[in-house]
């Protein structure tokens, strides 16, 4: 049994916590674990290959990456072809010969990888029924294309028109293995601010930095700053106007593993997102009362479609992240809470033959001393969190919602901090904690694994710990 499969047998479900005081959880075993990703394709004893996993080249004059597995049961090959157009409704595509690097326009987003050692580029033979094509984003296929040719319609002035049907990575990668982590270039992340007062900064390899905080960021990091008003409780004085300010900073990376098996399904697989996370935020004023569910205020949407090169095969990963502020209050409390969290995270789904899909989540985080001030009798809970999803070729595979929070309650005026200093008149309590929920989606079946009948929950996890509490005379 291959090493990757052995690692997948005990993926473990650990807790993803993004706000903790003196709390640390070490990531457990799972595919794409601590072992270094292979640096080159290597021939296995049974004829299978270990494929390199890396980011697809960007910003060159080469054509869009496309790999083809021929009808004769051959191996995946880099092809000198491209998807000229694709219609999702009908499944029809036009496949044409790719322009050479000297002919391609400089704006082409992705270039093809070189063939893996021992494999030459696929010859310029016409596309045939049974061919499987894997393409980076192309016209009509913004999430990339993974499809099998079911019919060759005929020649057009743009290339060969074909009918296609959906297929799986197992039909392309077959019994090969791959295991690696690919950082997401922050310059490729599209950010959509959802309220005024949101600014974006990032720093990428090569020294390119942008945004008001770009010069301060480590390479590979993306930062969102927010400074916006929050609904204030009815009847509150002007001095109690509610607002949120702070930032969320992260350096995401894609984790991808595949362990081909002797049958139609792989022996193991993993898809997930991990990286460094930090957030620092402050919520002040008298927030409006919550009605029913806590009030969630999204302040930015992020989207990226990184193309990772698995040997000759371009695999398109879809990442979405919605950052939000969440407030749960009774409308009577004037507050001033501050939170500073740093750490890392990992969330995804691991597959092992005979065991099926298992959720994987882990984090090792720490928080600096926290201060919370709650005035008047009442309760309040405030969080800055994120909804995340990870998918392949446009099909969502994993979703997660994680939120560090502070919760305060008092019957008078209380001030407390994580360093043990406190002053209060009456009873008071300040708590830290996190909430985590999510699920594995049917899109993970794109690996070629047996489709599960329903979504698999990550588990609705909740942990809370006291930061400070007490009672004092006024």
């Amino acid at each position: 049994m291959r090493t990757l499969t052995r690692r997948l047998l005990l993926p473990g479900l650990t807790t993803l916590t993004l706000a903790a005081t003196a709390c640390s959880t070490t990531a457990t075993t799972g595919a794409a674990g601590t072992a270094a990703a292979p640096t080159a394709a290597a021939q296995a004893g049974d004829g299978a290959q270990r494929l390199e996993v890396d980011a697809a080249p960007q910003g060159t004059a080469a054509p869009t990456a496309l790999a083809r597995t021929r009808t004769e049961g051959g191996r995946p090959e880099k092809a000198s072809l491209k998807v000229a157009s694709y219609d999702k409704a009908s499944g029809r595509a036009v496949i044409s010969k790719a322009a050479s690097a000297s002919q391609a326009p400089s704006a082409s987003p992705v270039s093809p990888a070189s063939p893996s050692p021992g494999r030459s580029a696929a010859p310029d033979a016409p596309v045939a029924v049974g061919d499987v094509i894997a393409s980076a984003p192309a016209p009509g296929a913004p999430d990339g294309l993974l499809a099998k040719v079911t019919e060759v319609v005929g020649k057009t002035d743009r290339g060969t028109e074909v009918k296609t049907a959906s297929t799986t990575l197992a039909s392309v990668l077959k019994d090969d293995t791959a295991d690696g982590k690919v950082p997401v270039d922050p310059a490729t992340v599209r950010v959509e601010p959802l309220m005024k007062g949101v600014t974006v900064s990032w720093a990428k390899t090569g020294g390119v930095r942008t945004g008001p905080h770009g010069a301060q960021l480590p390479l590979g990091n993306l930062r969102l700053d927010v400074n916006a008003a929050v609904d204030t409780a009815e009847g509150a004085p002007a001095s109690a106007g509610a607002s949120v300010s702070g930032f969320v900073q992260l350096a995401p990376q894609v984790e991808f593993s595949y362990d081909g098996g002797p049958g139609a399904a792989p022996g193991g697989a993993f898809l997930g997102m991990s990286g460094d996370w930090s957030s620092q935020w402050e919520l002040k004023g008298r927030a409006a009362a919550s009605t029913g569910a806590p009030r969630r205020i999204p302040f930015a949407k992020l989207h990226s479609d990184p193309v990772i090169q698995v040997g000759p095969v371009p695999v398109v990963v879809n990442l979405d992240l919605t950052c939000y502020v969440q407030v749960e209050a009774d409308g009577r409390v004037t507050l001033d809470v501050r939170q500073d969290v740093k750490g890392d995270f990992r969330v995804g789904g691991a597959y092992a033959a005979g065991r099926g899909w298992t959720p994987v989540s882990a984090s090792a985080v720490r928080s600096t001393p926290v201060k919370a001030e709650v005035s008047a009798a009442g309760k309040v809970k405030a969080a800055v969190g994120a909804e995340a999803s990870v998918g392949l070729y446009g099909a969502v595979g994993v979703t997660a919602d994680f939120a560090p929070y502070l919760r305060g309650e008092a019957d008078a005026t209380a001030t407390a901090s994580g360093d043990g200093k406190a002053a209060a008149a009456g009873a008071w309590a300040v708590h830290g904690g996190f909430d985590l929920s999510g699920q594995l989606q049917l899109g993970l079946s794109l690996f070629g694994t047996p489709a599960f009948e329903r979504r698999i929950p990550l588990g609705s996890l909740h942990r809370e710990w006291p930061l400070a509490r007490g009672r004092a005379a006024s």
Side-chain angles (χ1 to χ4, degrees):
M1 185 179 293
R2 296 184 179 88
T3 301
L4 176 60
T5 304
R6 291 198 299 269
R7 292 208 309 273
L8 276 162
L9 289 178
L10 294 173
L13 177 61
T14 55
T15 305
L16 173 64
T17 60
L18 292 177
T21 300
C23 176
S24 176
T25 302
T26 303
T28 57
T29 57
T34 56
T39 56
Q43 192 76 29
D46 58 0
Q49 287 193 335
R50 183 178 295 275
L51 303 177
E52 179 182 358
V53 177
D54 204 350
Q58 300 182 32
T60 70
T64 300
L66 186 144
R68 174 169 59 165
T69 300
R70 303 303 304 279
T71 57
E72 294 80 8
R75 317 299 300 185
E77 304 278 3
K78 170 196 164 187
S80 55
L81 302 169
K82 69 176 182 179
V83 177
S85 65
Y86 175 71
D87 180 68
K88 184 176 181 179
S90 64
R92 293 195 176 208
V94 175
I95 310 298
S96 65
K97 182 175 175 57
S100 65
S102 59
Q103 297 172 321
S106 60
S108 180
V110 182
S111 65
S114 300
S116 300
R119 300 184 186 182
S120 60
D124 296 334
V127 179
V129 172
D131 283 2
V132 176
I133 56 177
S135 172
D143 298 315
L145 181 63
L146 178 64
K148 183 175 183 178
V149 177
T150 59
E151 179 184 341
V152 177
V153 178
K155 295 287 187 179
T156 73
D157 56 355
R158 295 180 299 153
T160 302
E161 183 176 358
V162 297
K163 292 183 179 180
T164 67
S166 60
T167 188
T168 66
L169 280 168
S171 67
V172 180
L173 298 178
K174 299 185 180 295
D175 57 355
D176 289 341
T177 65
D179 183 7
K181 301 178 182 180
V182 177
V184 177
D185 183 350
T188 66
V189 178
R190 300 190 294 275
V191 180
E192 178 188 355
L194 301 178
M195 62 169 58
K196 294 181 179 179
V198 177
T199 58
V200 182
S201 307
W202 52 259
K204 62 177 292 184
T205 303
V208 181
R209 300 173 184 267
T210 189
H213 301 282
Q216 307 167 20
L217 295 179
L219 296 180
N221 274 250
L222 175 70
R223 170 169 164 162
L224 299 175
D225 284 77
V226 60
N227 187 353
V230 176
D231 288 350
T232 302
E234 185 177 354
S239 59
S243 64
V244 62
S245 61
F247 68 83
V248 172
Q249 181 177 311
L250 67 159
Q253 58 184 2
V254 173
E255 295 193 26
F256 178 93
S257 291
Y258 176 88
D259 186 15
F270 182 88
L271 177 66
M273 178 173 61
S274 61
D276 295 328
W277 165 284
S278 63
S279 60
Q280 184 181 94
W281 51 275
E282 180 175 16
L283 184 62
K284 302 178 67 173
R286 188 178 303 178
S290 302
T291 56
R295 177 172 171 75
R296 179 167 293 195
I297 310 168
F299 62 85
K301 286 186 177 181
L302 293 76
H303 179 81
S304 181
D305 296 305
V307 180
I308 60 176
Q309 203 73 41
V310 182
V313 180
V315 176
V316 184
V317 182
N318 315 114
L319 302 179
D320 285 280
L321 199 71
T322 300
C323 297
Y324 63 82
V325 177
Q326 184 165 294
V327 181
E328 186 174 0
D330 58 13
R332 298 178 295 153
V333 175
T334 301
L335 67 149
D336 184 350
V337 295
R338 287 190 289 275
Q339 174 77 295
D340 190 350
V341 177
K342 294 182 179 180
D344 55 38
F345 67 93
R346 183 172 185 251
V347 62
Y351 174 81
R355 294 178 61 91
W357 283 99
T358 306
V360 174
S361 57
S363 181
V365 300
R366 63 186 185 276
S367 63
T368 61
V370 178
K371 179 179 180 181
E373 181 175 309
V374 183
S375 302
K379 299 178 181 180
V380 67
K381 180 180 177 181
V384 169
E387 299 173 353
S389 70
V390 187
L392 293 171
Y393 299 101
V396 175
V398 182
T399 62
D401 187 337
F402 46 90
Y405 69 79
L406 285 176
R407 184 175 66 84
E409 54 188 0
D411 61 14
T413 300
T415 302
S417 61
D419 57 8
K421 298 178 181 179
W428 55 269
V430 180
H431 304 266
F434 75 93
D435 291 311
L436 166 66
S437 61
Q439 53 193 359
L440 304 187
Q441 306 274 351
L442 300 178
L444 286 170
S445 62
L446 275 178
F447 276 99
T449 62
F452 41 90
E453 296 181 359
R454 60 184 182 277
R455 296 179 178 91
I456 302 174
L458 291 178
S460 182
L461 303 179
H462 167 80
R463 285 190 179 179
E464 184 175 274
W465 50 90
L467 296 175
R469 66 171 65 236
R471 181 181 295 274
S474 56

